[in-house]
Amino acid sequence: MPSSLFTDDQEALRSMVRDFVDREVAPYVEEWERAGLIEPKLQAKAGGLGLLGFAVPEQYGGSGTDDYRFRCVIMEELARVGAAAVNVAFGGFDDLVGPYLTDLGTEEQKQRWLPGLCAGELRTAIAMTEPETGSDLRGIRTTAVREGGGWVLNGSKTFITSGAQADVVVTFARTGEGEFSLFLLEKGMPGFTQGRRLDKLGQRGEDVSELFFDDVRLPHDSLLGTEGAGFRYLMERLPKERLFIAYYGLAAAEAALDWTIAYTRQRRAFGRPVADFQATRFTLAELSTEIDVTRAYLERCVLAVNSGTLTAVDAAKAKWWATELQNRVIDRCLQLHGGYGYMREYPIARAYADARVSTVYGGTTEIMKEIVGRDLVRP
């Protein structure tokens, strides 16, 4: 069933994005994976074309549109060529950090950071997870204590996407008993160490790093938003982050199915194409149906984001279902590739490794089910 989600404006963007991806991304994906680093100039090239900061107001360098369908087009085109790491790099600003700066930043903070981020000249990250704390954000140990006119930050973070490259890091810290706040940390601050790049299973082109804070002295204007409101800020913005993960999961599943249909048509076994076997056709039929049904729900979620009505529960449903689907589809598609599916020269092998984290980051499948389940039994 053809999707009715996108307008002519989004399809016009798709044409430009597809050209950009085919020219600037697809030929280099494997090179970046081996190097463990995406070419730094790619971000600036994307920014120059207006592919970053869609929801950022124009006066700060963005496009000034909060229509999430534009972001969906970019995710689909990156998934088409198996560029999961690039998707994380772009989405790390647009869907994770950008909303915090745009919604909560002072005029000075916005002027200082947003133009460079939209242009792709600066990188950013958000630091929540700690070595002893994953999804349980209330258990974090990083502290920010008032001293003089500013703050002193101590602690550490881990699994921070773009952490080694970030020029500014939105950092979640404990500022009192049961109280949390957000701070803007700048690269090069005394006591702020951007640690080693961790050796990941998938999405190897985008760095994930450790961060360390040893008596980092922060000026008073490093506070992002209101003191003590950090946890609420996270809860308000996590639904969009989870939709970002869910939608790319759907796009990656669709791409994997397309690759596999093409492969089974040309690959021969026992004298005939693999696609001619009933077992193959049944598998493809099941995967196609599951993907189409999932798309129907996620398109409703996209429209809900646009109208400001996407709830935490609906986003949790989208996130756990779509990412589990992503892993299930890619696993079965790899099986249909046979031994070649295990070779990294085939995009299905990279997609298999890239997909595994999707049921973990942004909140595990188990946490997502807990969110949905609590809502169902709430009096």
Side-chain angles (χ1 to χ4, degrees):
M1 299 174 66
S3 171
S4 60
L5 178 65
F6 300 111
T7 67
D8 290 344
D9 286 342
Q10 280 105 43
E11 292 301 343
L13 175 73
R14 186 187 303 278
S15 178
M16 187 261 282
V17 173
R18 178 163 294 194
D19 179 69
F20 172 78
V21 169
D22 287 344
R23 184 182 68 254
E24 302 288 353
V25 177
Y28 309 107
V29 169
E30 187 56 34
E31 177 184 329
W32 296 336
E33 291 284 299
R34 289 194 302 268
L37 183 68
I38 298 167
E39 165 57 52
K41 293 180 181 178
L42 179 70
Q43 203 92 348
K45 291 177 181 178
L49 292 173
L51 302 182
L52 302 175
F54 279 96
V56 174
E58 292 182 20
Q59 65 263 37
Y60 304 117
S63 300
T65 174
D66 57 2
D67 190 335
Y68 198 67
R69 291 175 291 185
F70 289 104
R71 286 284 302 123
C72 293
V73 168
I74 292 177
M75 285 189 271
E76 289 182 4
E77 291 305 311
L78 291 172
R80 179 177 58 85
V81 300
V86 177
N87 177 67
V88 171
F90 289 2
F93 170 47
D94 269 84
D95 299 324
L96 276 70
V97 180
Y100 290 91
L101 282 167
T102 301
D103 299 343
L104 306 175
T106 63
E107 183 63 23
E108 182 181 355
Q109 289 169 338
K110 292 176 184 178
Q111 291 285 1
R112 182 172 187 179
W113 297 112
L114 286 174
L117 291 167
C118 290
E121 297 166 354
L122 300 175
R123 297 295 299 273
T124 187
I126 186 164
M128 293 186 282
T129 304
E130 298 187 359
E132 302 297 325
T133 306
S135 297
D136 179 18
L137 293 176
R138 291 189 183 276
I140 68 161
R141 299 180 181 180
T142 295
T143 60
V145 179
R146 280 190 176 278
E147 185 173 297
W151 303 81
V152 178
L153 185 73
N154 281 284
S156 65
K157 301 289 182 179
T158 194
F159 308 143
I160 307 307
T161 300
S162 300
Q165 304 175 70
D167 298 285
V168 59
V169 180
V170 175
T171 305
F172 185 59
R174 183 181 295 274
T175 49
E177 186 62 36
E179 182 180 287
F180 307 90
S181 302
L182 298 176
F183 297 89
L184 295 176
L185 269 71
E186 299 181 36
K187 191 183 191 76
M189 279 183 162
F192 174 29
T193 303
Q194 293 167 281
R196 66 188 178 99
R197 292 175 178 171
L198 303 175
D199 190 13
K200 296 184 283 140
L201 171 65
Q203 300 182 8
R204 296 179 65 86
E206 178 66 354
D207 84 79
V208 166
S209 306
E210 299 171 317
L211 304 178
F212 301 96
F213 319 121
D214 184 13
D215 287 336
V216 182
R217 298 190 178 277
L218 302 174
H220 69 92
D221 59 0
S222 65
L223 180 69
L224 183 62
T226 302
E227 179 184 345
F231 193 81
R232 173 168 60 85
Y233 292 151
L234 294 187
M235 294 304 102
E236 290 171 349
R237 285 154 189 80
L238 277 172
K240 187 174 183 181
E241 175 185 342
R242 288 167 177 161
L243 179 59
F244 160 62
I245 298 170
Y247 199 91
Y248 187 80
L250 171 66
E254 290 176 333
L257 181 62
D258 288 343
W259 302 334
T260 304
I261 291 171
Y263 180 83
T264 58
R265 283 172 174 168
Q266 59 88 22
R267 179 69 176 170
R268 300 181 68 84
F270 302 102
R272 54 179 173 154
V274 171
D276 280 359
F277 292 95
Q278 186 184 64
T280 300
R281 296 197 301 271
F282 277 17
T283 296
L284 296 176
E286 291 168 6
L287 300 182
S288 177
T289 303
E290 290 183 45
I291 287 171
D292 282 353
V293 172
T294 301
R295 171 165 281 282
Y297 181 72
L298 260 64
E299 289 187 355
R300 287 180 58 194
C301 289
V302 169
L303 296 178
V305 162
N306 282 354
S307 64
T309 58
L310 181 68
T311 68
V313 172
D314 290 340
K317 290 178 180 178
K319 200 271 180 184
W320 88 256
W321 179 263
T323 56
E324 293 287 348
L325 171 81
Q326 175 189 8
N327 278 271
R328 184 168 64 251
V329 167
I330 292 173
D331 179 75
R332 296 183 73 184
C333 286
L334 188 150
Q335 186 74 14
L336 289 176
H337 280 73
Y340 289 103
Y342 200 63
M343 302 297 112
R344 286 188 62 87
E345 65 187 89
Y346 279 77
I348 194 68
R350 295 197 306 271
Y352 182 85
D354 292 340
R356 189 60 189 87
V357 73
S358 65
T359 60
V360 176
Y361 65 7
T364 64
T365 291
E366 292 74 20
I367 293 295
M368 297 302 98
K369 290 180 179 179
E370 182 68 12
I371 291 171
V372 176
R374 285 181 181 178
D375 182 72
L376 292 174
V377 300
R378 181 181 300 150

